[in-house]
Amino acid sequence: MENKIEIKNVDKFYGKKQALYKINLTINQGMFGLLGRNGAGKTTLMKTLATLHQKKNGSITVCGVPIENTKEIRSMTGYLPQDFSMYPTMTVEESLDYLGILSGMTKDARQKRIDVLLKRVNLTEHKHKKVKALSGGMKRRLGIAQALLHDPRVLIVDEPTAGLDPEERIRFRNLLCEVAEERIVILSTHIVGDIEATCEDIAIMNNGRILWQGTVSELIHNTDNKVFTVNVNKKYLTQIKKNYIVTGMLVQSEYTTVRIISDMKPDIQGVTTAEPNLEDAYMYCLYSHGCDVSGGAV
Amino acid sequence: MLFFKEYKKMLFSLTFLIYFIAVIAMYFTQFHNDCKEAIYEPLPGQESYGMIAKETPDILMPAATESLVNGYLSDSYTAYPIGFYKNVHLSEKKKQKMAEIITEISGISKEDLDNFTNYEEGGFYIDENGGMMQLESNIPEINIPKALTYERFRELMRKADDIIGGGSEYSDENIVGNFSLVQKTYEDALTEYNKFLNEDKITGAYARLFCDYMGIVLAILPVFVAVSLASLDKKSRMEQLAYSRKISSVKLIFTRYFTLVVLLLIPVAITALIANFKVCGMYPNNSADIFAIFKYSASWLIPNIMTAAAVGMLMTELTSSLLAIFVQGVWWFISIFASANGLTGSIGKFTLVARHNSLYGLDTFMNNFNDFVFNRIFYTVISIIAIALTAFIYEQKRKGIFNGYSFRFKISKHKS
């Protein structure tokens, strides 16, 4: 069976409001990042792939299985929603056992898998702890464990690092990379750093449309010779923000080091070309597709 | 396996604990309290053996006629047309028809009725000793024509009932019980006692009383536990994790429902067991049917639990709100009032709360037995249909096709 997800011309409506416009994507094994602003349509697409939403038009196949075959799709998909928890009075182990039953796993399979997963997400010591007593990071790790419980071929994680402290975030990203060695992992986020640290293949979404799809290096390459830095007096900052996309500012007494994106080399004294990073490339992608990035940049 | 998981999940919930205490409290304050003294065999020569409704024309005809004249003079008739109390006032046209009936059964002309100015309603007063005494109402003199046959009288009573709108004291169902109460004879009392002993095997009679009391609370309280269960996934922010699993909606919802019904039966089984010991202990020298209370409880009370639980699950899935409690509350209220005009053997085909608030009246119960069976099967089937509908709605929500109707009393998400 082919190990890829194919999305062709998918439209999705909430009543009369269109949420997804002609989505075309091919997602292969490994980590795939879906990057976009809040409200870009990422969660809608994730839920559609997890069979929790119905598309209006187009086709989706997951490892060769049409999305309409919900039972089979659910048996091969693990889903970690953005906003989730579990029964607060159940222990970590009981919660996983309960969800394992809902996934149709046998008692033996559940016991073995729960032990392995708790070890993998570093929750073995906390398996008798009630869910309500877990920290945010622990809950996220428990979330990953439940999504991997039935050993799915596809793992869908929606904004998994929101609200985590830097240490937990790094640990969580590493965990995702580990599990992506054996399956398709789709990571949806608005945090560029998460994508940069984990994904090679990405897509950028905005207003329900895919703006760009390719590898991280291709996206960054698109921004070659379009990123500049310059030290300017504070009094010129307003003018610079007005004329260019500003992706960074480092304030140093009277002067500020400003990172600028521009198609042409800015006509500012002392400006130098800089190495683009993914954040620059993402901002440039939005800008080049006509999105208003002035608010986000400053 | 899912059954045990669901069972454990619900068993330790606060809502179930409250339900458990309420059912046990209902048992001890009502049924247990009523079982202080055993029923003994009547002895010849007792001062009274109590009253019994027995069709006796000589008693029924004057009593019903007097009541009808009273109703006409005060233009006030009591009726329960759809089970609810209603004070009926007649139009001029209907008054004319009623007067014709009264004239035929009492010999009082319409003119005499309309010109009677000395009318005083009956009522009650407190005597010197603090006792409640009945006041005689003041009505024209009644002379039932000798030529009036009992059959014709009953026919006229049916017409009077029609004029009032049905469900009155003069209907075929109510007239004997309202106007033909006679003192039980020793033979009546002995026959009744023998039925209690031999046909009801003692516990059968107590089982009906037990079910009468418990049926009242079991037609309303399960809805609270059902709403709590049905909203637990949403409150715990667990909905999407459950939605995305492989299990079918039908299996999940039916297992949850079955678990819920079994769980709700726990205090019923406990109280039934206590009742059994209590009743058998009251009659140590008689052979009682030790299974009667359980048999009655299963057929009488399970449909109540199933219905209230099904309403709770269906409405909560449909609206994601507490609306089910309101809906079941209204239905329960209507049902209680619908049976208020007869607490013994009041088992209509569609009454949710079946009543039989007496240790006697086996004959009445058996006369209504077919209705009782129909009623209980009807509610069992309705409950299963409601749960099938719940599973369908759950599946639609799972696929994002339907998100539930919006109501103000939303269930808040659990905050941890």
Side-chain angles (χ1 to χ4, degrees):
Chain A
M1 203 182 274
E2 49 187 345
N3 230 13
K4 66 178 178 183
I5 297 172
E6 283 193 297
I7 305 169
K8 288 179 184 168
N9 294 319
V10 166
D11 290 326
K12 161 77 190 163
F13 288 78
Y14 290 117
K16 286 181 181 172
K17 194 185 171 200
Q18 189 158 1
L20 297 178
Y21 294 83
K22 296 275 174 270
I23 301 292
N24 285 289
L25 274 178
T26 301
I27 301 169
N28 295 309
Q29 187 167 320
M31 286 288 292
F32 182 87
L34 195 57
L35 188 59
R37 298 160 158 177
N38 288 329
K42 303 185 301 291
T43 298
T44 301
L45 184 58
M46 298 284 100
K47 284 190 171 180
T48 307
L49 292 175
T51 72
L52 304 182
H53 276 337
Q54 297 253 309
K55 61 184 170 49
K56 172 85 175 170
N57 303 312
S59 70
I60 301 174
T61 54
V62 180
C63 304
V65 179
I67 198 84
E68 289 77 13
N69 191 349
T70 49
K71 197 168 183 180
E72 205 174 332
I73 295 288
R74 283 169 187 166
S75 69
M76 65 165 80
T77 307
Y79 178 52
L80 176 62
Q82 186 177 350
D83 181 30
F84 81 99
S85 189
M86 296 185 197
Y87 301 127
T89 53
M90 274 191 185
T91 65
V92 166
E93 194 176 28
E94 284 169 343
S95 300
L96 289 177
D97 197 41
Y98 179 77
L99 288 167
I101 292 170
L102 297 191
S103 289
M105 296 169 72
T106 63
K107 193 176 178 183
D108 281 351
R110 291 198 309 272
Q111 274 175 349
K112 282 179 193 162
R113 192 78 184 138
I114 287 169
D115 283 345
V116 169
L117 285 170
L118 286 179
K119 201 172 173 185
R120 193 162 190 179
V121 299
N122 209 14
L123 283 176
T124 306
E125 283 175 25
H126 305 283
K127 69 178 182 180
H128 299 304
K129 209 179 234 184
K130 288 198 167 150
V131 170
K132 63 183 174 186
L134 298 181
S135 68
M138 285 175 176
K139 268 188 193 165
R140 287 279 157 191
R141 281 185 271 144
L142 177 60
I144 272 288
Q146 68 78 29
L148 290 169
L149 196 56
H150 53 296
D151 200 13
R153 298 174 69 184
V154 178
L155 179 65
I156 299 166
V157 283
D158 193 4
E159 304 277 3
T161 58
L164 296 185
D165 62 42
E167 196 185 327
E168 278 284 6
R169 178 176 288 175
I170 290 165
R171 192 185 297 173
F172 198 86
R173 290 193 308 217
N174 293 342
L175 184 62
L176 283 180
C177 289
E178 280 170 38
V179 300
E181 286 171 14
E182 309 142 17
R183 52 180 63 82
I184 300 169
V185 176
I186 308 172
L187 166 67
S188 146
T189 184
H190 63 276
I191 302 166
V192 177
D194 287 348
I195 298 282
E196 198 165 25
T198 54
C199 303
E200 183 52 28
D201 292 322
I202 64 166
I204 296 173
M205 278 191 86
N206 194 54
N207 285 336
R209 293 175 173 87
I210 298 287
L211 300 184
W212 191 88
Q213 187 189 0
T215 63
V216 170
S217 47
E218 283 168 357
L219 184 67
I220 293 172
H221 184 65
N222 288 346
T223 329
D224 283 349
N225 300 318
K226 291 185 172 72
V227 182
F228 307 91
T229 55
V230 62
N231 285 326
V232 292
N233 191 297
K234 278 181 183 173
K235 65 184 177 184
Y236 298 116
L237 275 180
T238 312
Q239 190 64 29
I240 285 175
K241 281 186 220 168
K242 200 174 167 186
N243 294 339
Y244 304 100
I245 304 165
V246 176
T247 61
M249 287 194 298
L250 183 63
V251 181
Q252 295 162 326
S253 64
E254 276 186 36
Y255 285 89
T256 301
T257 306
V258 185
R259 194 173 174 89
I260 296 168
I261 299 174
S262 173
D263 284 324
M264 308 280 283
K265 188 172 183 181
D267 186 17
I268 307 170
Q269 197 175 5
V271 72
T272 56
T273 308
E275 274 295 307
N277 60 28
L278 184 58
E279 206 160 40
D280 300 323
Y282 169 63
M283 293 300 286
Y284 182 70
C285 178
L286 291 180
Y287 164 74
S288 61
H289 283 86
C291 306
D292 178 16
V293 292
S294 56
V298 259
Chain B
M1 199 60 210
L2 180 59
F3 171 81
F4 291 109
K5 285 281 167 191
E6 293 289 347
Y7 190 82
K8 196 178 167 195
K9 192 174 87 184
M10 295 179 220
L11 185 64
F12 298 108
S13 71
L14 180 65
T15 326
F16 177 70
L17 180 69
I18 294 168
Y19 162 83
F20 185 90
I21 293 168
V23 173
I24 300 282
M26 179 70 179
Y27 168 78
F28 279 104
T29 56
Q30 302 298 319
F31 178 82
H32 205 82
N33 212 28
D34 273 9
C35 296
K36 284 181 178 156
E37 287 179 15
I39 295 172
Y40 294 106
E41 185 176 348
L43 300 170
Q46 275 180 221
E47 193 178 318
S48 170
Y49 298 100
M51 303 295 283
I52 189 170
K54 192 182 267 185
E55 191 167 3
T56 315
D58 289 348
I59 294 170
L60 188 151
M61 287 168 72
T65 305
E66 187 180 323
S67 170
L68 202 60
V69 172
N70 254 317
Y72 184 88
L73 292 172
S74 60
D75 189 26
S76 169
Y77 305 87
T78 301
Y80 296 86
I82 50 164
F84 282 106
Y85 168 81
K86 190 178 175 189
N87 187 16
V88 179
H89 302 285
L90 300 182
S91 64
E92 282 307 315
K93 198 177 167 186
K94 285 184 174 177
K95 269 186 188 170
Q96 174 68 35
K97 285 183 181 173
M98 191 63 91
E100 286 168 14
I101 291 171
I102 292 172
T103 303
E104 191 174 341
I105 62 174
S106 69
I108 306 167
S109 68
K110 184 172 187 305
E111 290 70 33
D112 287 347
L113 282 169
D114 292 342
N115 295 329
F116 191 77
T117 53
N118 200 21
Y119 175 70
E120 280 178 24
E121 268 189 277
F124 294 92
Y125 72 96
I126 308 294
D127 70 5
E128 293 162 351
N129 302 320
M132 188 175 273
M133 305 298 286
Q134 187 158 19
L135 275 169
E136 293 282 321
S137 58
N138 186 16
I139 60 170
E141 191 182 343
I142 294 168
N143 293 304
I144 297 174
K146 285 184 180 165
L148 181 68
T149 63
Y150 180 61
E151 288 69 32
R152 173 63 182 158
F153 181 84
R154 287 295 299 270
E155 192 184 326
L156 290 168
M157 288 299 104
R158 269 177 229 121
K159 279 187 184 172
D161 180 57
D162 283 345
I163 292 168
I164 293 166
S168 74
E169 300 161 290
Y170 313 102
S171 67
D172 276 347
E173 294 78 30
N174 299 332
I175 194 164
V176 175
N178 276 306
F179 301 113
S180 196
L181 288 175
V182 296
Q183 285 282 343
K184 281 182 201 169
T185 62
Y186 166 69
E187 285 73 25
D188 289 334
L190 190 64
T191 306
E192 201 167 59
Y193 179 75
N194 284 333
K195 279 186 180 174
F196 166 74
L197 217 57
N198 303 321
E199 292 181 33
D200 262 336
K201 304 258 185 229
I202 300 168
T203 41
Y206 283 93
R208 285 192 296 276
L209 187 64
F210 174 81
C211 290
D212 175 74
Y213 283 129
M214 302 308 275
I216 295 171
V217 286
L218 294 175
I220 180 72
L221 293 185
V223 76
F224 291 93
V225 188
V227 168
S228 169
L229 164 73
S231 57
L232 192 58
D233 281 7
K234 191 181 177 78
K235 271 178 81 178
S236 309
R237 292 183 289 142
M238 176 86 174
E239 256 180 336
Q240 291 187 36
L241 298 189
Y243 282 172
S244 61
R245 310 322 277 203
K246 184 183 159 190
I247 192 169
S248 78
S249 300
V250 170
K251 187 178 175 186
L252 181 62
I253 296 297
F254 270 88
T255 306
R256 284 182 172 176
Y257 179 63
F258 177 68
T259 313
L260 179 64
V261 171
V262 170
L263 192 78
L264 292 168
L265 274 170
I266 291 175
V268 181
I270 292 171
T271 50
L273 198 64
I274 299 170
N276 216 22
F277 277 116
K278 168 90 178 161
V279 174
C280 291
M282 286 162 69
Y283 300 88
N285 302 320
N286 300 101
S287 133
D289 177 0
I290 57 167
F291 298 110
I293 293 182
F294 301 105
K295 284 187 281 190
Y296 269 96
S297 297
S299 57
W300 192 316
L301 300 177
I302 289 177
N304 279 20
I305 290 175
M306 285 178 74
T307 306
V311 168
M313 287 182 70
L314 174 63
M315 296 300 294
T316 309
E317 208 56 66
L318 191 66
T319 65
S320 299
S321 72
L322 305 177
L323 191 69
I325 293 170
F326 175 75
V327 170
Q328 187 64 24
V330 170
W331 190 5
W332 178 79
F333 195 73
I334 289 170
S335 190
I336 292 287
F337 269 85
S339 53
N341 61 334
L343 295 181
T344 305
S346 174
I347 302 158
K349 278 190 173 169
F350 302 104
T351 316
L352 176 61
V353 184
R355 300 300 309 270
H356 193 98
N357 195 261
S358 172
L359 289 173
Y360 301 108
L362 173 64
D363 290 342
T364 316
F365 181 77
M366 291 315 293
N367 287 342
N368 291 314
F369 189 69
N370 286 343
D371 280 355
F372 173 79
V373 172
F374 175 88
N375 178 303
R376 298 292 91 181
I377 291 173
F378 173 77
Y379 279 109
T380 304
V381 172
I382 285 288
S383 305
I384 292 167
I385 291 171
I387 291 304
L389 198 57
T390 309
F392 174 76
I393 292 166
Y394 187 83
E395 180 63 20
Q396 301 310 300
K397 288 173 87 172
R398 224 177 151 177
K399 287 180 178 171
I401 297 170
F402 174 72
N403 289 315
Y405 291 113
S406 192
F407 282 90
R408 287 190 74 183
F409 310 110
K410 285 280 181 189
I411 294 155
S412 62
K413 285 181 179 176
H414 175 80
K415 286 177 185 171
S416 56

